[in-house]
Amino acid sequence: MHYSTSTTRKLGEKYKEISLLGNVQALLGWDLNVNLPPKASNSRAQQSAYITSLTADRWLNPEFRTLFEKASSETKKLSPLEKAMLRNIGWSGKYYWKVPKELVVEFSETTSEAFMAWHKAKTEDKFSLFSDYLQKNIRLSQRIADHLGYKKNRYDALLDLYEMGLTTDVCSNIFKTLIKELRPFMKQIIKKQSNNETMKQLINENTFYSEKRQRQLSLFILRKLGYDLSAGRLDVSPHPFTQSMTKHDARITTKYLLHDFRSSFTATIHEAGHGLYEQGVADEFEGTALDSGVSLGIHESQSRFWENQIGRSPEFLTFMAPVFQAFFPEHLSQSTTDHIVSLFNNVEPGFIRIEADEVTYNFHIALRFELEEKLINEKLKVKDLPEIWREKMDEYLEVRPKTDSEGVLQDVHWSYGNFGYFPTYTLGNLNAAQFTHAMKKELKIEELVARGEFGTILSWLRDNIHKHGASIWPDELVKKVTGEELNPKYFVEYIKEKYSALI
Ligand code: MG
């Protein structure tokens, strides 16, 4: 990275320490989720907390802040990339600079306890074991939001922590459109879709898909998609995730279900999308505030693009059908391409967000968004949550969870105090559809995918999205790539076109 002033150069050098600490923290986190022996969890918590406090010290270092202020006052001399770097440092730094350190520490301690309480509550299906902790997390999040500041809605301050500039108004409009357009469409699909018998024959408690074969299949598709296994790894964890230390070490995980090969396959493709994004960031950004994916909403667009736009398309599944049959002849040799396509595109409203199909998925997010906004603005009491959850599930998905474990307790996010996070999943789905629409003007995606040629598609993503790292913020990136602001109509069109043809 080229620096035009001695101030930005020094700032860049200081930031490098924050970046390195972040890499170490990321590695500790990856190890915690993949390898850590159970008895080591306390020592790992201490190691992690120590890195967190070193990181906070670096952010609060007076010299670092002076350099940042000075650089921010002489932006005329700076290149666009240096300005982008300053903008990112200001955006990340505000959490450390505006929220008192005692509050940050209290929040971190409270959420650790809340996580354990949530885990027990979910296992025992007792919301009451979690509700006091949840109340504390909400209180602390409200205080954090008040320190961060906001123009219109307190919840906006929290949304912005995960997606720069995202607001409640923007989310409300998106969810209104999605619900209005896709709820009636969901009902149509369910009425017409008729492949349950075939599905039961291919996937049931008597079908065994060996873990070894599933892993080989995952490695096959990773190589095909262009994920660099010499700059990453594929491991196993209960919840698949991606953890990138640097672009040369962007690791992913998957999980294997013995009776169902789809789960590991789609999780691998999803996480590969995240990993490919990180591996594709420009080399010159390494160690700077530009050296990763720009936001959660753009990150999720990359994983969803490969998982859904590509991975669940009839062309891709047609290409893959003989491969699946070769890997699992004992179960799939009699199956047709149509069977395989419907196996990956079954629409069924359910209780669990992470198992939801692409048509119903965003309804789960709409529900969480509405409840979070009310909780943060004190318009809803914690004790009323389980019942409201059931009512809203009924309204959007026409299913009513019988237990709280399948309802309000299913997700880990609120135990971590991550209010404002959920909407980025929907942004990911919307961005993916809008990027695909733009890509189709330049590439014949269906033909490429049908031939199993993914290189051209990856190059397009590299040029338009990946290489920019965090130098272009999400709203500008969407405009630059697609020529207009984020518009939910592309997702709605994608869903309607695809499923009208399938059912
Ligand atoms: Mg993801």
Side-chain angles (χ1 to χ4, degrees):
M1 173 109 176
H2 173 77
Y3 294 112
S4 2
T5 69
S6 65
T7 313
T8 52
R9 189 173 41 75
K10 281 186 210 152
L11 183 69
E13 279 164 17
K14 287 249 161 227
Y15 184 84
K16 185 89 197 271
E17 292 181 51
I18 291 177
S19 165
L20 288 168
L21 287 167
N23 300 343
V24 173
Q25 186 70 286
L27 185 57
L28 291 178
W30 173 84
D31 182 67
L32 166 73
N33 284 292
V34 175
N35 288 322
L36 199 75
K39 285 185 180 171
S41 60
N42 265 336
S43 46
R44 177 51 44 86
Q46 285 177 37
Q47 293 151 2
S48 221
Y50 183 61
I51 301 293
T52 302
S53 85
L54 287 183
T55 307
D57 291 346
R58 292 297 180 282
W59 278 104
L60 294 167
N61 177 286
E63 200 189 332
F64 179 72
R65 291 197 64 177
T66 309
L67 286 167
F68 173 74
E69 300 300 339
K70 189 157 181 252
S72 305
S73 69
E74 45 189 37
T75 51
K76 271 193 197 124
K77 298 179 199 162
L78 305 181
S79 69
L81 286 179
E82 286 171 300
K83 286 183 201 163
M85 184 183 91
L86 280 182
R87 182 161 75 157
N88 286 358
I89 291 177
W91 179 75
S92 309
K94 71 175 186 296
Y95 187 76
Y96 298 93
W97 300 334
K98 289 188 173 180
V99 183
K101 198 172 173 186
E102 311 81 69
L103 182 52
V104 174
V105 172
E106 191 185 348
F107 188 57
S108 149
E109 287 166 0
T110 310
T111 52
S112 304
E113 287 170 21
F115 170 74
M116 286 185 277
W118 165 78
H119 195 266
K120 195 168 187 308
K122 186 178 175 180
T123 312
E124 296 182 19
D125 187 30
K126 260 191 200 157
F127 181 70
S128 59
L129 296 177
F130 178 53
S131 53
D132 287 351
Y133 294 90
L134 178 57
Q135 184 60 59
K136 275 190 213 164
N137 281 357
I138 293 167
R139 284 267 154 72
L140 293 172
S141 299
Q142 289 164 341
R143 282 171 59 198
I144 288 169
D146 291 342
H147 281 288
L148 290 168
Y150 50 86
K151 283 195 191 110
K152 202 170 160 194
N153 188 319
R154 190 192 240 169
Y155 186 53
D156 293 352
L158 301 177
L159 287 169
D160 176 74
L161 284 177
Y162 301 100
E163 194 76 8
M164 303 86 165
L166 185 63
T167 62
T168 308
D169 284 348
V170 167
C171 292
S172 295
N173 285 330
I174 287 173
F175 289 118
K176 244 181 244 162
T177 305
L178 295 180
I179 287 164
K180 182 170 150 268
E181 296 287 336
L182 294 182
R183 257 200 36 90
F185 189 62
M186 170 189 88
K187 289 193 196 177
Q188 273 182 43
I189 300 176
I190 296 164
K191 233 192 247 167
K192 288 191 187 166
Q193 164 183 270
S194 59
N195 39 39
N196 281 343
E197 280 316 302
T198 324
M199 294 216 348
K200 276 181 210 147
Q201 277 169 30
L202 300 177
I203 310 275
N204 61 60
E205 68 265 26
N206 298 315
T207 55
F208 287 94
Y209 294 88
S210 89
E211 183 172 326
K212 192 175 160 207
R213 287 281 173 81
Q214 289 193 52
R215 178 169 162 82
Q216 286 168 344
L217 178 63
S218 279
L219 291 171
F220 167 87
I221 197 61
L222 285 177
R223 293 194 179 96
K224 266 271 162 212
L225 298 182
Y227 174 81
D228 182 358
L229 278 155
S230 59
R233 297 174 51 89
L234 176 69
D235 291 278
V236 183
S237 66
H239 295 281
F241 71 101
T242 299
Q243 187 61 265
S244 163
M245 274 52 76
T246 71
K247 65 170 288 186
H248 305 295
D249 192 2
R251 306 180 187 191
I252 64 173
T253 70
T254 191
K255 85 168 173 198
Y256 302 108
L257 298 185
L258 253 178
H259 302 291
D260 190 345
F261 74 101
R262 297 171 300 178
S263 170
S264 66
F265 184 70
T266 50
T268 297
I269 296 181
H270 178 99
E271 301 307 331
H274 287 299
L276 286 166
Y277 187 12
E278 292 294 331
Q279 289 181 341
V281 174
D283 284 329
E284 62 166 323
F285 294 166
E286 196 163 345
T288 73
L290 307 175
D291 80 341
S292 65
V294 65
S295 73
L296 292 172
I298 300 296
H299 236 298
E300 194 68 6
S301 79
Q302 297 309 289
S303 53
R304 287 301 205 179
F305 170 80
W306 289 107
E307 179 192 351
N308 290 337
Q309 262 78 11
I310 302 295
R312 290 184 208 274
S313 67
E315 295 80 14
F316 177 80
L317 293 163
T318 304
F319 163 74
M320 282 304 297
V323 182
F324 291 145
Q325 287 167 340
F327 272 91
F328 309 112
E330 62 279 31
H331 302 307
L332 301 179
S333 58
Q334 301 302 315
S335 64
T336 66
T337 303
D338 281 352
H339 295 153
I340 300 284
V341 171
S342 52
L343 211 50
F344 281 86
N345 286 292
N346 188 51
V347 176
E348 195 179 353
F351 308 130
I352 309 297
R353 172 185 64 87
I354 57 168
E355 290 167 10
D357 56 80
E358 54 182 343
V359 179
T360 58
Y361 185 90
N362 296 300
F363 303 152
H364 291 265
I365 305 298
L367 171 156
R368 286 154 178 78
F369 161 74
E370 282 177 41
L371 300 187
E372 285 191 357
E373 194 272 333
K374 289 199 169 83
L375 288 168
I376 294 299
N377 287 306
E378 295 161 74
K379 294 187 276 190
L380 171 63
K381 292 200 173 72
V382 166
K383 70 170 171 54
D384 298 328
L385 262 180
E387 187 48 33
I388 297 227
W389 187 284
R390 283 189 280 274
E391 281 167 21
K392 280 272 154 195
M393 282 298 283
D394 207 0
E395 183 188 334
Y396 289 158
L397 290 140
E398 297 181 19
V399 292
R400 232 174 215 271
K402 286 185 193 71
T403 69
D404 289 336
S405 297
E406 284 179 329
V408 67
L409 288 171
Q410 68 181 269
D411 294 303
V412 70
H413 301 58
W414 290 349
S415 79
Y416 291 149
N418 289 344
F419 299 98
Y421 190 114
F422 282 119
T424 67
Y425 292 125
T426 289
L427 291 185
N429 294 327
L430 268 47
N431 285 325
Q434 195 163 331
F435 288 149
T436 308
H437 182 83
M439 191 189 283
K440 277 188 175 166
K441 289 180 192 161
E442 293 170 42
L443 303 181
K444 294 201 159 90
I445 304 179
E446 283 98 345
E447 287 178 22
L448 291 166
V449 171
R451 292 199 300 268
E453 285 177 32
F454 306 106
T456 317
I457 294 170
L458 179 58
S459 297
W460 190 96
L461 294 173
R462 289 270 196 258
D463 280 346
N464 285 282
I465 298 163
H466 299 177
K467 72 173 185 195
H468 299 299
S471 67
I472 306 176
W473 274 14
D475 50 346
E476 296 158 13
L477 186 68
V478 170
K479 248 191 222 163
K480 185 173 151 70
V481 176
T482 71
E484 64 174 302
E485 283 176 11
L486 179 65
N487 187 339
K489 82 168 188 188
Y490 294 105
F491 180 78
V492 171
E493 279 173 15
Y494 157 70
I495 292 290
K496 287 193 175 170
E497 261 174 48
K498 176 175 172 179
Y499 286 88
S500 303
L502 280 180
I503 55 175

